[in-house]
């Protein structure tokens, strides 16, 4: 079985290198939002003109601005005021995260179900990353959210390959092994192609390096801990790990036995974050 997974993994990587397997592209609105994010002269008006072209995204950003996560007072009821409350960088990262949901869909029922599962788990990891970041670090919660959303982006082209190869599609065990083996490096390749900065582009690979040694905590650490929190009861490999030996907890100043669901405040914020990310 492992030999089959290795062979399929090599075929997928070769297909990507030879441009025979098209990497996913960001939704148009997300592309334009990233352009604003990378423009040092951009202002609220220029960001609003981009996001306003997508009424659904505009409405969701207004919800974010009014959410308990920001603990704001007076509610806002229009996009410009929402963006002013959020700030350009925060709004760009959250808008990108929200816009990416549409990528996790397929016309194939089997692939669509798998893609939606990936989105479900990614949004959960993003929400946990946001809450942990906000309460335990000096990093940016919006960036942590985006890091969680993109940590499994490499699964998408693998599922696209499976859709064109029924033998793999119908062999869920081998497909899962292929995903586990190569989604990290493929995900980082996709993010580099999209022009994401190094801190984010490395997330798909780096969050899987459970025993990496670093001098400072980073977004990969947040995603690592969030994945361990989310998958503890779902993944036998993860539940078998000794969390006390994983350096990310120590770098973030977190107890390896932390369960954010035990805190009413954190649990409420986690619920709010998940609700905002899922339509």
């Amino acid at each position: 079985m492992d030999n089959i997974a290795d062979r399929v993994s090599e075929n997928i990587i070769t297909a990507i290198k030879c441009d025979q397997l098209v990497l996913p592209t960001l939704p148009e609105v997300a592309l334009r939002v990233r352009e604003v994010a990378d423009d040092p002269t951009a202002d609220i008006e220029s960001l609003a003109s981009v996001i306003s072209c997508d009424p659904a995204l505009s409405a969701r950003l207004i919800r974010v601005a009014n959410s308990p996560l920001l603990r704001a007072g007076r509610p806002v009821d229009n996009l410009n005021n929402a963006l002013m409350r959020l700030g350009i960088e925060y709004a760009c990262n959250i808008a990108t995260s929200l816009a990416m949901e549409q990528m996790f869909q397929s016309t194939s029922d089997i692939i669509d179900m798998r893609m939606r599962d990936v989105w479900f788990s990614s949004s959960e990891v993003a929400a946990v990353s946001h809450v942990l970041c906000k309460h335990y670090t000096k990093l940016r919660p919006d960036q942590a959210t985006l890091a969680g959303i993109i940590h499994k982006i490499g699964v998408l082209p693998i599922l696209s390959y499976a859709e064109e190869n029924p033998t793999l599609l119908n062999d869920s065990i081998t497909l899962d092994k292929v995903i586990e083996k190569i989604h990290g490096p493929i995900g980082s390749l996709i993010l580099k192609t999209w022009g994401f900065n190094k801190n984010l582009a490395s997330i798909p690979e780096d969050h899987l390096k459970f025993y990496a040694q670093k001098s400072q905590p980073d977004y990969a650490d947040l995603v690592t801990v969030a994945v361990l929190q989310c998958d503890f009861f779902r993944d036998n490999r993860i539940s078998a790990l000794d969390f006390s030996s994983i350096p990310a907890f120590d770098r973030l100043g977190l107890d390896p036995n932390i369960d954010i669901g035990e805190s009413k405040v954190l649990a409420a914020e986690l619920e709010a974050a998940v609700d905002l990310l899922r339509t």
Side-chain angles (χ1 to χ4, degrees):
M1 185 67 71
D2 287 340
N3 288 338
I4 296 174
D6 289 343
R7 187 168 65 251
V8 172
S9 298
E10 291 173 5
N11 290 342
I12 292 174
I13 291 173
T14 299
I16 290 174
K17 289 180 178 178
C18 296
D19 292 328
Q20 295 172 345
L21 182 63
V22 179
L23 294 175
T25 57
L26 275 174
E28 179 64 27
V29 66
L31 280 171
R32 296 180 63 194
V33 165
R34 300 315 300 171
E35 290 175 358
V36 173
D38 293 335
D39 181 358
T41 66
D43 54 19
I44 293 295
E45 287 71 25
S46 57
L47 180 57
S49 68
V50 169
I51 294 176
S52 62
C53 296
D54 188 324
L57 182 58
S58 299
R60 293 179 75 182
L61 281 173
I62 293 172
R63 281 184 59 207
V64 172
N66 289 322
S67 78
L69 291 175
L70 297 183
R71 296 179 181 175
R74 186 176 180 179
V76 296
D77 59 4
N78 63 75
L79 180 60
N80 276 62
N81 286 343
L83 296 180
M84 289 177 64
R85 175 174 291 176
L86 296 174
I88 291 181
E89 186 173 359
Y90 192 110
C92 284
N93 284 329
I94 296 299
T96 303
S97 300
L98 296 174
M100 288 177 69
E101 182 177 6
Q102 62 187 271
M103 299 176 63
F104 293 79
Q105 299 177 21
S106 172
T107 55
S108 163
D109 289 341
I110 297 177
I111 296 298
D112 188 65
M113 182 175 65
R114 275 186 170 266
M115 285 191 171
R116 290 183 183 278
D117 283 345
V118 174
W119 173 257
F120 185 90
S121 63
S122 296
S123 57
E124 184 179 24
V125 168
V128 174
S129 298
H130 179 107
V131 173
L132 291 177
C133 181
K134 178 180 176 182
H135 288 274
Y136 295 100
T137 80
K138 295 181 180 180
L139 299 171
R140 295 183 58 92
D142 52 294
Q143 191 110 320
T145 302
L146 184 54
I149 289 294
I150 61 177
H151 83 282
K152 293 184 75 173
I153 197 69
V155 176
L156 298 189
I158 299 173
L159 292 179
S160 296
Y161 179 90
E163 190 170 7
E164 300 299 324
N165 294 269
T167 301
L168 179 60
L169 181 61
N170 295 323
D171 184 351
S172 60
I173 295 177
T174 298
L175 180 53
D176 287 339
K177 284 182 176 294
V178 171
I179 289 172
E180 179 185 345
K181 182 179 178 65
I182 63 172
H183 85 82
I186 290 178
S188 290
L189 174 62
I190 291 170
L191 296 174
K192 290 173 185 174
T193 302
W194 289 348
F196 276 58
N197 66 51
K198 183 179 179 180
N199 288 336
L200 287 175
S202 64
I203 293 294
E205 288 185 283
D206 287 354
H207 86 277
L208 296 168
K209 299 174 181 176
F210 293 149
Y211 302 102
Q213 299 295 329
K214 312 169 192 173
S215 59
Q216 297 293 330
D218 58 18
Y219 295 102
D221 286 333
L222 283 165
V223 175
T224 295
V225 171
V227 167
L228 296 175
Q229 284 272 306
C230 295
D231 289 349
F232 181 78
F233 295 107
R234 295 197 294 257
D235 190 320
N236 290 332
R237 293 171 298 111
I238 285 179
S239 61
L241 292 172
D242 177 7
F243 288 8
S244 65
S245 68
I246 296 176
F249 286 95
D250 186 54
R251 282 193 292 269
L252 293 169
L254 293 173
D255 181 343
N257 298 312
I258 186 175
D259 180 354
I260 62 176
E262 292 181 348
S263 163
K264 290 184 178 180
V265 173
L266 299 188
E269 289 194 6
L270 178 58
E271 183 179 357
V274 169
D275 180 61
L276 289 172
L277 289 169
R278 296 175 185 165
T279 55

